[in-house]
Amino acid sequence: SIAAALAPSTSGQYAGAAHIFIMFCMYVDGDNFTLPATDAMLCLYLQWQSLTVDPKNLKTKLSAIRYLHERLGYVWIPPSERFMVHRCIMGLKRLCLTPVNRKLPITPSLLIRMRLCRGIDWSTPIMVVVWGAMLI
């Protein structure tokens, strides 16, 4: 049966996500809400979800919406083929990125200070390898 195609936990997650999506659409469009969902509606939903869901996890929400559409017999166009939806996802990921914590480079003056450190025995084979790796 179709219902048995998904694991019980996945089925439950999809059902919950589909319910939330339908409730959102009904809130936005009222009695005018119909499936299949428009690109504009999907973008609104994704923006709303991004307030509480990491944008990296929005694809899970879209999987549930895809499953809802396919189960009801609608053709699902993947987000990568929907210009607006694809760009919306990319924009949300960019807006919600955490800044990269870059490491400082190893400078020649730092290497000289390390080499002059008396607490390191640079004659051992392991430290020769470490020194070589730092010079690369």
Side-chain angles (χ1 to χ4, degrees):
S1 117
I2 294 174
L6 298 175
S9 60
T10 304
S11 182
Q13 287 177 337
Y14 278 12
H19 178 74
I20 291 170
F21 174 69
I22 291 169
M23 296 302 289
F24 173 82
C25 293
M26 290 174 69
Y27 176 77
V28 171
D29 273 352
D31 293 337
N32 299 325
F33 165 64
T34 59
L35 286 175
T38 63
D39 289 1
M41 181 60 75
L42 287 172
C43 288
L44 283 173
Y45 177 73
L46 291 171
Q47 289 172 357
W48 176 69
Q49 281 290 309
S50 73
L51 297 174
T52 57
V53 175
D54 188 338
K56 290 180 276 188
N57 298 326
L58 290 176
K59 288 189 178 190
T60 305
K61 303 292 182 185
L62 286 173
S63 293
I65 297 168
R66 183 201 77 226
Y67 186 73
L68 169 70
H69 278 72
E70 290 176 344
R71 185 126 189 227
L72 294 175
Y74 295 108
V75 175
W76 176 254
I77 301 168
S80 60
E81 296 175 20
R82 297 174 180 238
F83 179 80
M84 243 173 70
V85 177
H86 180 67
R87 292 295 175 179
C88 178
I89 293 168
M90 288 175 57
L92 290 170
K93 284 181 182 178
R94 184 168 288 120
L95 287 173
C96 297
L97 281 177
T98 54
V100 176
N101 191 5
R102 300 234 181 248
K103 304 292 185 238
L104 294 175
I106 296 179
T107 62
S109 63
L110 181 60
L111 286 171
I112 290 170
R113 285 180 32 216
M114 289 172 66
R115 189 65 183 196
L116 296 175
C117 180
R118 295 174 194 242
I120 300 173
D121 181 7
W122 292 105
S123 64
T124 63
I126 189 73
M127 292 313 294
V128 170
V129 171
V130 167
W131 182 251
M134 287 191 289
L135 293 177
I136 293 178

